[in-house]
Amino acid sequence: QVQLVESGGGSVQSGGSLRLSCQVTGYTGSFNCMGWFRQAPGKERERVAAIDSDGRTSIARSVKDQFTVSRDNAKNMVFLQMNSLKPEDTAVYYCAAGPTWQYYDDGFYCGANGAYWGQGTQVTVSS
């Protein structure tokens, strides 16, 4: 059974940094797409970042100067480095992994078809 487990969330002051990690278990291959989404209270889930198995990345325009995404294929992990955090970055962050992509004007992100999701990790940024 494939499971994704996020870690690294927490509370931080504005301008601070956090690094989220996501461990995939129960899958011996390498997902074509791994990435991150987030959902703030009262808002729809939004794409944040994605990375393919060759290391090509997409970062959402809203966080392009703050966040970077990386992965370790050998360990089946994906990471999200978040710098210069702002209160508007407060959300539950979800890890996703799957075989497909969905294309937007700011890049490719993990498609919902066949994707696996983590349970989410809370990130709270105070001003």
Side-chain angles (χ1 to χ4, degrees), residues 4-11 18-23 35-41 48 78-80 82 89-96 117-125:
L4 279 62
V5 179
E6 301 100 336
S7 60
S11 296
L18 286 173
R19 186 179 190 235
L20 304 184
S21 300
C22 174
Q23 175 72 65
W36 296 90
F37 293 77
R38 69 184 182 184
Q39 187 166 18
V48 175
V78 62
F79 307 95
L80 185 68
M82 306 185 294
D89 296 317
T90 295
V92 178
Y93 284 71
Y94 297 92
C95 171
W117 295 86
Q119 81 289 351
T121 186
Q122 176 70 46
V123 171
T124 303
V125 185

Side-chain angles (χ1 to χ4, degrees), residues 75-120:
K75 295 181 179 179
N76 237 342
M77 295 185 73
V78 62
F79 307 95
L80 185 68
Q81 179 66 44
M82 306 185 294
N83 298 326
S84 302
L85 284 162
K86 306 171 184 177
E88 51 263 43
D89 296 317
T90 295
V92 178
Y93 284 71
Y94 297 92
C95 171
T100 64
W101 297 276
Q102 187 162 354
Y103 293 90
Y104 297 86
D105 57 1
D106 60 350
F108 70 92
Y109 297 85
C110 296
N113 190 20
Y116 296 92
W117 295 86
Q119 81 289 351

Side-chain angles (χ1 to χ4, degrees), residues 53-74:
S53 54
D54 293 324
R56 290 178 291 239
T57 64
S58 292
I59 305 290
R61 209 172 275 122
S62 60
V63 295
K64 199 167 187 66
D65 295 329
Q66 299 171 253
F67 294 3
T68 56
V69 61
S70 60
R71 65 190 280 174
D72 185 330
N73 290 331

Side-chain angles (χ1 to χ4, degrees), residues 37-49:
F37 293 77
R38 69 184 182 184
Q39 187 166 18
K43 294 188 177 181
E44 293 187 352
R45 186 180 65 190
E46 64 173 344
R47 60 190 184 274
V48 175

